[in-house]
Every structure is written in structure tokens, then in C-alpha cells.
Amino acid sequence: MRDAYLVGAGQSAYGAFPSESYRSLFRTAFEDAVASVPNGVETDDVDEAFIGTLGVGGRQLGLSGPAVTEHVGLDGVPCTRVENACAASGFATRQAVQAVKSGMADVVLAGGFEIMTDMSSDATKYWLGVSGETEWERLSGTTFSGVYAQMASAHMEEYGTTREQLSRVAVKNHANGAKNPHAQLGFECSLEDAQSAPVVADPLNLYHCCPTSDGAACALIVSEDVVDDYTDDPIRVAGVGAGSDSVGLFQRDSYTGVPASQRAAETAYEMADIGPEELDFAEVHDCFAIAELLAYEDLGFCEKGEAGEFIESGATELGGDLPVNTSGGLKSKGHPIGATGSGQVVEAFKQLSGKAGDRQVENPTRGLTHNVGGSGGASVIHIFEKETEVSA
């Protein structure tokens, strides 16, 4: 099976853009990705495309993938829309890697997009809610903030996790997002601000929740047979893992972990032949502050129940042992559902290419991206590794 490589990645800004469409945002991301390829790439080179989107708001419910790829000049390129809630473009990236590894394609586009800010708050809640368990969660009035609040409460009760530790996630990610020109909430916040914000779903407050966002992101995955045509500094897709689980939180045995992420991590580490201690940075799915803390434990960054102490230690800050969410994460960078997973890949590409600006990790070799759908119904992980040369 062939190796797959990440040779370019780009994104639009994330935020609220009433003058933009999903097509125009995708064009911005695509052009940014193409421009990032060191030796250049032509649209004629692309063999296939996988595009993630939930389809928030009802626009172009069918064939939304071809709608954006045709718009950027990929006429005739086979395109598949991928929907796995918030993990849509993470799974689109996985599909791109599989297409390359299988030998069916040499150059594949993986991307995603979403427009989320052109609807009323009630409509937005509806479209977000369809990724939860429909009969017993959404239709009974449960929101995602309510679901994650249950997870936070359970973790606090079982392990002594505190509201202050939840708030430290927000402080760290806002500090990183303030260094990211693409971030929607690109400002710093104090611990006092993050602790005193209005309650959304107890124990979660406003600073513990990510925003809704418009945005798009793209990545270009190529085979070992052609990687030399595109870059002299290859970034290998060293490991990929995915998992699924019950869509409804109430259907699971525990509220203090995400089994789909645990299974995805095990597979990705095994494929990459590394352990979590060998990572230099990670982008994890922090739709709510508790989600980042759960990710620390699910991905093996710390022991079960120790996530609160781990965030307090400073290990996940820039300059720490394992910087997490250098982009600002979903909390600060933003969360355009279909673009979130591929947006994490953009950050991995920037970090491993040494182009992350003021948030650059020092001399990174390996990074991980972790993208979750719903409250854990799906999870996908990629491990990217910088190589000095490609094996023959």
C-alpha cells in the first residue's frame, strides 16, 4: 500500500460573512491551498475530490460537493460529499488518504465548507441538533450544549474537575487564536472573564462554548509516486484512525470519555508506530471546553481523570510539552461544521511547514488532528510526520 503525503492546505477566514456564499468561501480556501504547494499544482492534476458539509440551512442539499468543485474549475473530477456531522471533512480527508493509498488516485482534494450565520438562532439550533440522537435527544429539547454539560458534570463529579480548569481551556485557546489571522474570535480573554461569563448550560458558560461560523478549508493529498513533483519537504500521513459509536449520549456506558476517539487513537498510533509522547502538537475537537479535556484522556496525553491537572500544568500551552490547539481551536478559531476537520489539517500543514507565524511550535516533526462528530458518534484522527526525504 502506497504512502500518502500532505503537500498543501489552505482556508478562508472563519466568522460571519453576509456578503459571501459557500462557493466563494470554498474558492478562497481552494486557492489558498493551491498557492501553498511549494512546487505548484494545476487543477488538471487533481484526480478526485471529497468534500465535507452538513448542509446547514438547507442550501444545495444534494450535490453540494460538485457544486463547489465545479466552481473552482475541477470540471469532470469525481467528487463525493461526505457527511459525518462536525467530523465531515475529517472523514473527507480520510477518504482522500484511502484513495491515494489504494492506488486509485495520485492527487486528491479533501475539503469542507459551511455557512451558519445567515439564519436565526432557532434555525441554527435546529440544524445543529440534527447531528444528535433525533428521537430521544433533539425532539425532547436537548441541545448540544446540554449534552456536553452532562459530560462535564459527570467528569466533575467523578474526578473533581473544576470550572476553573474548564475556563483555562478557553484562556489558552483564545491566546492562540489571537495570533491567528483566520480566527473568528481572535482576542485574548482573562481567567476572570472565562469564569464569570453567562451560563449556557450549567456548568458550561459562554466562554466554554465555541461559536457558529462560516468558512471553508482544503487540503491536497498526493501519492508517494508523485510527491517529488510538488514538494522537496514532504509531510507524510503517518497514521489514520476512525471510530463510530452510539449517536445518543444516553446510549453509552460512560459520560466521561468518547470511545470512538479512543478507538481512532489506538488505530492511528499503531499505524504511525508511535505513542502520544512522540507528538509535538495536536489540534483537538474543542466544541466545548470539556471536549478538549476529554480528548487529553481519550488520546493518551494524560491518565484518565487527570485532564484538569494537565491543563493547569501548562503542558498544552505554546511552549509547553504538547501544545494543543495552536490555531485557537474551535473555541477561538471557529467551528464551520463541514470545514472544521480540514481546517485542523491546515494548521498541521502550517506548523510542519514552519509557517504558523507567532504561534509556531519550535521544530515540530509530528502533529495530530482529532475531529469529532456530534457528541462522539464519530471520530477521526490523522497523524502527520515531516520527512527529510522520501523512501525509494
Side-chain angles (χ1 to χ4, degrees):
M1 189 175 293
R2 302 188 302 178
D3 272 333
Y5 291 84
L6 172 65
V7 296
Q11 66 169 91
S12 70
Y14 288 0
F17 307 112
S19 63
E20 299 280 359
S21 70
Y22 69 97
R23 285 186 170 102
S24 66
L25 288 171
F26 189 83
R27 176 181 286 280
T28 297
F30 177 76
E31 292 177 349
D32 193 34
V34 167
S36 74
V37 178
N39 298 343
V41 63
E42 301 295 330
T43 54
D44 289 347
D45 296 345
V46 179
D47 299 314
E48 193 154 353
F50 296 92
I51 307 299
T53 183
L54 179 63
V56 170
R59 64 183 58 76
Q60 194 57 48
L61 286 178
L63 296 177
S64 54
V68 294
T69 54
E70 180 275 335
H71 183 67
V72 299
L74 298 179
D75 303 298
V77 172
C79 179
T80 303
R81 171 189 169 182
V82 178
E83 187 282 299
N84 239 359
C86 313
S89 59
F91 274 86
T93 304
R94 179 174 180 263
Q95 291 293 99
V97 172
Q98 288 180 323
V100 166
K101 282 182 168 291
S102 72
M104 290 188 68
D106 280 315
V107 180
V108 184
L109 174 69
F113 66 87
E114 215 74 70
I115 295 285
M116 300 179 66
T117 67
D118 64 344
M119 300 176 290
S120 69
S121 60
D122 286 344
T124 301
K125 289 175 185 176
Y126 172 85
W127 280 99
L128 286 171
V130 299
S131 298
E133 205 286 327
T134 301
E135 292 179 286
W136 299 105
E137 286 184 346
R138 182 174 68 80
L139 293 182
S140 65
T142 304
T143 63
F144 271 121
S145 55
V147 169
Y148 276 93
Q150 294 176 63
M151 299 167 84
S153 295
H155 204 275
M156 294 167 77
E157 180 177 348
E158 188 166 347
Y159 299 112
T161 306
T162 66
R163 285 178 171 83
E164 179 178 323
Q165 290 165 341
L166 290 171
S167 296
R168 287 185 180 276
V169 174
V171 173
K172 171 183 67 70
N173 290 351
H174 272 279
N176 294 341
K179 299 178 177 68
N180 186 348
H182 288 113
Q184 179 175 0
L185 304 180
F187 55 83
E188 295 186 9
C189 73
S190 68
L191 184 58
E192 181 181 359
D193 290 336
Q195 287 185 281
S196 61
V199 172
V200 175
D202 190 51
L204 302 179
N205 68 33
L206 187 62
Y207 269 95
H208 301 151
C209 309
C210 73
T212 54
S213 316
D214 304 334
C218 290
L220 287 158
I221 307 294
V222 308
S223 74
E224 62 183 35
D225 296 336
V226 300
V227 65
D228 288 342
D229 296 340
Y230 299 103
T231 183
D232 299 321
D233 297 301
I235 298 170
R236 186 169 68 96
V237 185
V240 182
S244 296
D245 199 3
S246 302
V247 174
L249 180 63
F250 70 93
Q251 297 169 305
R252 300 181 206 153
D253 293 334
S254 172
Y255 286 13
T256 60
V258 178
S261 291
Q262 296 162 13
R263 289 191 285 268
E266 182 179 353
T267 302
Y269 290 140
E270 183 178 356
M271 182 182 291
D273 195 25
I274 66 165
E277 68 280 356
E278 296 175 77
L279 296 170
D280 297 307
F281 66 90
E283 288 286 301
V284 308
H285 198 91
D286 62 319
C287 48
F288 298 91
I290 185 60
E292 178 163 328
L293 296 185
L294 295 181
Y296 295 169
E297 298 173 5
D298 292 334
L299 307 184
F301 300 167
C302 66
E303 295 298 319
K304 187 71 175 174
E306 296 181 0
E309 296 173 8
F310 195 57
I311 184 72
E312 283 189 326
S313 74
T316 59
E317 297 176 7
L318 275 175
D321 292 338
L322 180 60
V324 174
N325 286 336
T326 56
S327 69
L330 285 64
K331 174 64 194 77
S332 176
K333 183 183 179 183
H335 183 27
I337 293 176
T340 291
S342 49
Q344 292 176 327
V345 176
V346 173
E347 183 68 9
F349 177 77
K350 288 181 181 294
Q351 289 289 350
L352 291 171
S353 300
K355 297 179 180 178
D358 292 340
R359 63 187 190 281
Q360 180 66 52
V361 173
E362 185 176 359
N363 299 319
T365 298
R366 297 184 188 90
L368 174 150
T369 63
H370 160 254
N371 191 199
V372 174
S375 61
S379 182
V380 60
I381 289 172
H382 292 86
I383 297 172
F384 298 96
E385 181 178 76
K386 187 173 182 179
E387 292 189 346
T388 55
E389 61 183 40
V390 181
S391 300

